[in-house]
Amino acid sequence: MDLEKLLSDRLAPAFAAVAGGPVDPLVRRSPRADFQSDAALALARRLGRPPRDIAAAVLAHAVLDDVGVSAEVSGPGFLNLTVADGALADLVAGLAGDARLGVPPTATPQTVVVDYSAPNVAKEMHVGHLRSTVIGDAAVRLLEWLGHRVVRVNHLGDWGTPFGMLIEHLIDLGEAEAAQNLSMGDLDTFYRAARITFDADEAFRERSRLRVVALQGGDERTRRLWRLLVTQSERYFLTVYDLLDVTLSAGDFRGESTYNDLLAGVVDDLDRRGLLVPSDGAECVFPPGFSGRDGEPLPLIVRKSDGGYGYPATDLAALRQRLGEWGATRLLYVVGLPQRQHFAMVFAVAEEAGWLNPPARAEHLGFGSILGADGRMLRSRAGESVKLVGLLEEAVARATDLARSRNPELDAGTADEIGRAVGIGAIKYADLSVDRSKDYVLDWERMLALDGNTAPYLQYAYARIRSVLRRAGTAARPDAPVVIAQPAERALAVELLGFAGVVGEVERNLEFHQLAGYLHRLATAFNAFYEHCPVLRAPDELRESRLLLAELTARTLRQGLHLLGIRTLERM
């Protein structure tokens, strides 16, 4: 049950009657009541009436008694809404028998393509890949749980000029030695060695250029060696995804090479529609509304002056295929904010070409950067990008050490399990708990703290509830009457009823810090409840009710954390 939506639905007709048309009641949580509507203030100028008069008129039209809600006009024109204890108890009791905790599956399933992670072949994943992978995987988890058909796409950089250089270096090393080096996961060393030779040796550069021609022309041996590079890189990527505990698999890899045979068709289609414009030897599209610093129209280069294709052509081909062949109605691109203009131009060209039409839509889920303690881009001591595996292993090691220091009696296997769940969870939550458009600082002490808005705080709250339920000796009864006897019980009940509304909002905007913030409020409400409302020592009726509230909180925390890709633990 989405209590906020229920109140909005009840107030909407009353506001419409007063305003003479549809009005969003703007219902939100309030420190002065359970909920508050601010819409009367927004209507005051439009209607030319004092907001308190508008709020009073709305209150006269509103039908709220049958759902146990009382309302009063407050301050300059707020409507304060309070749910009666009995109504609140009944609504919470209704969650107990609902496996989905009040969150219905979507009534309008869509085919959603989520393009995320996107590492480059023959290069190790670095910290810059973390946000795309974590945010994209959370989007996949949430949309799948809501009943959408989700297609994961891991858009690998596996094509283009550098592969001539890499293949030639592979040949110089010998296939067996190259395969061994690559299988050890040290892709950066392989790439750097190839680059050093390329920069220093003119003959090697010429062979590399010819190898690119052979690769693009379909030469059998060149393609086999290229496939060796791709295969070994994909194996490495999968070990990183396993450590990060994300749902990407081998079947989700879709390299740039996948679209190679589609590029000419994209150019032909754009030309047929009269969108291609020659510019300095290249073939471009000039979508309206985009200009450079000089004020001149900005081109999206589809085919370069040398006849080759760049990223725009590949992205257009991918988008066209996802809409046309796959029947997608929602395209999500989880890529850093520096690519905002690029994707805006790609989407604009797709709309001009008639490929991207309502109800289908494309969205760039941009995100900020991860910073070091100095407020600059996170770098290693050598000034290089931090390798993702190293970052994840450090998180696990720190969390494992903390687990052992808190409980020296833990056996090695249990300590390792806790360390991995807490360490990886801390990394993910630090990312997902901030507005994705913002940068954030990687702060180990804060991320791994057992208090504050952190994953360990939520994981510990869950483990604490499971401990209470184990000590109870019996499972919470799903049919137990819920009793609201204390303010802390009321606060917890109201939070439990907020889960559906938050999930629905995040489905629309994919702002996962809203879900993280909700889970933190829920865990905080439970801890206050646990402090002020004895559970195991309470009289029978209250004991059953409080066990049920604890069970519902644990289920909600577990489900919410799962949607963020974070594991819960029965013991910590």
Side-chain angles (χ1 to χ4, degrees), residues 310-536:
Y311 295 120
T314 302
D315 286 336
L316 286 169
L319 183 148
R320 184 169 177 249
Q321 183 188 60
R322 293 166 189 179
L323 293 168
E325 295 180 26
W326 298 1
T329 50
R330 191 178 187 187
L331 305 178
L332 304 177
Y333 293 80
V334 191
V335 186
L337 280 172
Q339 296 298 313
R340 175 170 42 198
Q341 180 173 266
H342 166 76
F343 281 107
M345 293 179 72
V346 167
F347 300 160
V349 170
E351 290 172 0
E352 277 197 288
W355 306 333
L356 181 59
N357 298 306
R361 66 189 191 275
E363 303 165 59
H364 173 214
L365 303 189
F367 51 83
S369 300
I370 303 176
L371 308 178
D374 59 0
R376 299 179 179 179
M377 295 285 288
L378 187 65
R379 300 283 181 183
S380 68
R381 290 181 179 176
E384 299 175 344
S385 294
V386 174
K387 293 181 179 180
L388 184 53
V389 167
L391 181 72
L392 300 179
E393 288 177 343
E394 182 173 358
V396 171
R398 285 174 177 264
T400 303
D401 288 344
L402 282 174
R404 287 174 176 151
S405 66
R406 287 178 56 83
N407 189 353
E409 297 179 358
L410 285 176
D411 62 82
T414 302
D416 289 346
E417 179 188 2
I418 293 172
R420 177 163 177 173
V422 172
I424 299 301
I427 287 281
K428 288 184 173 182
Y429 193 84
D431 196 300
L432 295 169
S433 61
V434 298
D435 182 334
R436 60 176 160 78
S437 67
K438 307 294 185 184
D439 300 339
Y440 72 91
V441 175
L442 187 76
D443 181 338
W444 290 113
E445 185 174 347
R446 182 188 64 78
M447 288 163 51
L448 291 167
L450 283 171
D451 54 6
N453 190 13
T454 68
Y457 176 76
L458 300 181
Q459 290 168 314
Y460 183 72
Y462 175 82
R464 185 184 201 182
I465 297 170
R466 298 305 303 165
S467 173
V468 170
L469 296 173
R470 283 193 300 274
R471 286 187 283 123
T474 58
R477 283 178 45 214
D479 60 343
V482 173
V483 179
I484 305 295
Q486 297 291 333
E489 285 170 315
R490 158 176 278 279
L492 180 58
V494 171
E495 289 296 350
L496 286 168
L497 290 167
F499 185 52
V502 170
V503 170
E505 183 64 20
V506 176
E507 177 189 13
R508 290 185 288 276
N509 62 26
L510 298 172
E511 297 283 359
F512 289 97
H513 68 283
Q514 295 180 356
L515 176 56
Y518 165 78
L519 295 174
H520 179 250
R521 293 194 301 274
L522 177 63
T524 302
F526 176 80
N527 286 336
F529 159 80
Y530 187 73
E531 180 180 350
H532 294 103
C533 303
V535 177
L536 301 181

Side-chain angles (χ1 to χ4, degrees), residues 70-278:
S70 60
E72 63 177 5
V73 179
S74 174
F78 301 121
L79 273 178
N80 284 348
L81 306 162
T82 302
V83 185
D85 288 348
L88 198 59
D90 290 343
L91 290 170
V92 172
L95 296 177
D98 183 357
R100 296 184 59 86
L101 295 163
V103 182
T106 179
T108 54
Q110 299 182 65
T111 296
V112 186
V113 176
V114 186
D115 187 326
Y116 66 113
S117 193
N120 292 311
V121 164
K123 286 187 177 180
E124 291 188 50
M125 294 180 70
H126 54 78
V127 69
H129 292 106
L130 177 64
R131 301 209 70 183
S132 175
T133 308
V134 168
I135 295 167
D137 209 59
V140 164
R141 289 170 182 265
L142 182 132
L143 293 170
E144 282 189 331
W145 188 59
L146 290 172
H148 297 289
R149 174 180 175 258
V150 178
V151 181
R152 297 164 179 78
V153 172
N154 195 347
H155 191 87
L156 296 186
D158 70 347
W159 199 246
T161 304
F163 285 89
M165 172 188 78
L166 294 168
I167 294 169
E168 283 302 313
H169 181 60
L170 187 156
I171 292 170
D172 287 352
L173 278 180
E175 289 185 43
E177 183 177 348
Q180 182 179 5
N181 289 350
L182 291 167
S183 67
M184 294 172 65
D186 192 7
L187 303 183
D188 282 357
T189 298
F190 182 91
Y191 190 94
R192 278 197 298 268
R195 171 56 68 180
I196 289 169
T197 307
F198 183 87
D199 291 341
D201 188 336
E202 174 58 37
F204 183 86
R205 284 200 295 274
E206 181 60 25
R207 296 203 319 269
S208 297
R209 284 190 282 269
L210 293 173
R211 187 62 64 180
V212 173
V213 175
L215 176 63
Q216 294 176 344
D219 176 71
E220 185 176 338
R221 182 184 181 224
T222 303
R223 286 289 178 98
R224 180 175 58 79
L225 296 173
W226 166 77
R227 174 47 58 188
L228 175 63
L229 286 172
V230 173
T231 299
Q232 294 295 344
S233 298
E234 287 179 348
R235 287 176 180 168
Y236 156 76
F237 299 148
L238 290 172
T239 64
V240 179
Y241 296 141
D242 180 65
L243 178 57
L244 190 51
D245 194 20
V246 294
T247 61
L248 283 167
S249 68
D252 303 321
F253 290 125
R254 298 277 299 184
E256 292 171 357
S257 59
T258 306
Y259 308 101
N260 196 50
D261 294 339
L262 305 178
L263 300 179
V266 167
V267 173
D268 290 344
D269 198 358
L270 293 173
D271 191 28
R272 196 163 48 245
R273 297 172 187 270
L275 297 175
L276 274 190
V277 178

